Amino acid sequence: MFIKVLGAAAGGGYPQWNCNHPNSRLARTNNKNALARTQSSIAVSADGKKWFVFNASPDLRQQIWNNPELMPSEKDPLRYSPIMGVVLTNADVDHTAGLINLRESQKFSLYGTNRVLDVIGKNSIFNVLNPKFVNRIPIELDNTFKLIDTDNNFSGISIKPFAVPGKVALWLEDESKGKNFGSVEEDTIALEVSNIENKKFFYIPACASIPDWLLEKLNNSELVFFDGTLWEDDEMIKENVGIKTGKRMGHISMSGDEGSIEIFKKIKVKRKIFIHINTTNPSLLENSSERKTTKENGWEIAYDSMEINL
Ligand code: MLT
Ligand code: MN
């Protein structure tokens, strides 16, 4: 199974357009310790030819440009894309807005929970994904489904989606619905992805906490991509660039006694990779002490065009 990181940054990308935090400033100077990153997404393929994109970031057009395997090649028909489908893990702007890049009369499948597909369905801008060509396929929590290519053949990749602690997308929050803003289980899902040889990995770009059942599920796995939004829960407040904590945004932090680094120490995972990393997270910087800590604890920090073969 081939995996390519299309984008490793959280919503807004790194550097974010209006962010003048030192991390973003450094990235703008092309400093080798501050590698710019587009918004979070990966592409997965069983054969290296037909690809499935997990979350459609607003940077998708650039991500296709940066990753030639996602472009039609000389031998392909006049209209063609190796992108056979898109799988959504939530309705966040950084995970759905890129769908409009895939506009007009190109066949592919769009997979998401009923909740997320409903949001897409209610927003008429997504009609640019011509329903005659784009099959919207509802996925059910805890039920394995097969990714199919545009000729309706099994791609060799299966996915078991399951709910993880999280929150409804920021732009869909309903304050009248109380503390969780009307969030339901289907709002934030993780994907357990496997191929026909039963090679498996987990894709979890958003997660608010790590209950024991989740830890057990991830134990002894080969590869986990995990929510790396913030280093510290109140980092945006401390750095004077925002008013929200990670908890408020539905993201667990990397550091601290209740942080992901500490909690993952209880289990064995061969390869652990943080993805969806916010501009303020100091572990973005190659030479930071926080990066050193992630490394010492066996974590990698995803970067754009990172390649993994499982
Ligand atoms: C998130 O991950 O919390 C959202 O992408 C935030 C946002 O939409 O800016
Ligand atoms: Mn996000």
Side-chain angles (χ1 to χ4, degrees), residues 199-243:
K199 287 272 182 191
K200 257 189 211 171
F201 75 97
F202 288 89
Y203 190 60
I204 314 177
C207 191
S209 62
I210 310 175
D212 287 345
W213 66 260
L214 179 55
L215 215 50
E216 263 165 48
K217 223 180 192 10
L218 304 181
N219 195 14
N220 294 315
S221 56
E222 186 126 348
L223 168 65
V224 176
F225 285 95
F226 197 76
D227 184 340
T229 311
L230 298 179
W231 178 255
E232 272 181 300
D233 192 50
D234 58 354
E235 143 189 328
M236 302 217 316
I237 301 168
K238 270 198 197 151
E239 303 277 329
N240 283 318
V241 296
I243 54 164

Side-chain angles (χ1 to χ4, degrees), residues 10-12 90 92-95 167 169-171 206 229 249-251 276:
N90 60 23
D92 280 9
V93 172
D94 53 341
H95 289 166
K167 182 185 73 61
L170 175 63
W171 61 286
T229 311
M249 296 188 298
H251 297 291
H276 190 280

Side-chain angles (χ1 to χ4, degrees), residues 3 34 37 131 250 292:
I3 305 165
R37 286 162 167 86
K292 198 163 160 249

